[in-house]
Amino acid sequence: MDVTRFFHPVLRAAELRGSKPVRVVLDGTPLALFRDHRGGPAALLDQCPHRFAPLSAGRVTDDGRLACRYHGWRFDSTGIGESPSRARPRPCTVRAFQAIERHEFIWVASADTPARAMPDIAPAGYALAGTISAQISAPLHVVLDNFSENEHTPFVHTMFGWSESSLNTIAFDAENFDGRTEVRY
């Protein structure tokens, strides 16, 4: 299953700055994240199509393109690139991903994922209280499964005021839909 058909938070937005791209790996797919000429986040497959060098080892040019460190090929946020050493630049492309900055994170999905697939973390009537980030060394399917079940909440997330002794007083309902699970306490 290609997990990039869904949006995933892959990096704190504050970590994406300057002329140095950042490498992240999403379910085994290496990505090079950078800021384009408008300052918006961009994500490309972390592999130059010329000689397969990691684009994340390169730099962001003054015009907001990602330059490969190996031969200087430059790519814009849509993955369209060119060789700077040719009198008549030959176009080339690298796979581009959608990158959205929201709730203090950079979220990534495949280029053909509809924007409406971006999770609505703070719908009308709710306010985002904050975010928590943790790097977890585990297979992605295990991590995603953990977020789909909520029995661990009173044991792991004690900061919310839960305790094992009060479990029988909490009304709980979970409903699974295509692409999401809704939980009510």
Side-chain angles (χ1 to χ4, degrees):
M1 175 172 92
D2 179 13
V3 300
T4 65
R5 63 189 174 114
F6 302 103
F7 281 95
H8 295 275
V10 295
L11 185 72
R12 285 186 179 276
E15 295 178 49
L16 190 60
R17 59 187 183 286
S19 63
K20 181 71 178 122
V22 176
R23 177 185 171 96
V24 299
V25 178
L26 177 60
D27 193 33
T29 302
L31 304 172
L33 300 165
F34 65 102
R35 292 206 179 266
D36 65 14
H37 66 285
R38 294 178 316 273
L44 301 177
L45 183 66
D46 193 15
Q47 184 179 62
C48 182
H50 177 227
R51 296 282 188 208
F52 309 116
L55 291 172
S56 60
R59 65 178 176 82
V60 181
T61 62
D62 290 340
D63 63 356
R65 294 188 296 166
L66 183 53
C68 178
R69 183 176 179 183
Y70 194 50
H71 285 116
W73 288 41
R74 293 177 168 92
F75 300 89
D76 67 16
S77 61
T78 67
I80 297 173
E82 64 184 24
S83 167
S85 63
R86 296 180 180 255
R88 296 182 68 198
R90 185 179 76 183
C92 58
T93 60
V94 64
R95 183 177 176 197
F97 294 79
Q98 287 188 75
I100 296 174
E101 185 170 345
R102 193 165 299 156
H103 306 300
E104 302 174 19
F105 282 87
I106 305 298
W107 296 70
V108 173
S110 65
D112 59 349
T113 299
R116 69 181 185 281
M118 178 67 190
D120 188 8
I121 294 176
Y126 292 87
L128 181 66
T131 60
I132 298 170
S133 176
Q135 184 157 352
I136 301 168
S137 296
L140 183 60
H141 72 276
V142 173
V143 175
L144 294 176
D145 181 62
N146 179 64
F147 287 107
S148 296
E149 63 87 0
N150 292 283
E151 292 175 304
H152 73 277
T153 301
F155 302 98
V156 177
H157 305 290
T158 55
M159 66 185 147
F160 296 128
W162 294 51
S163 69
E164 187 175 354
S165 62
S166 66
L167 286 181
N168 62 351
T169 66
I170 298 169
F172 168 85
D173 182 41
E175 191 172 356
N176 295 314
F177 298 93
D178 288 338
R180 73 183 195 282
T181 300
E182 291 182 6
V183 179
R184 289 173 287 286
Y185 292 101

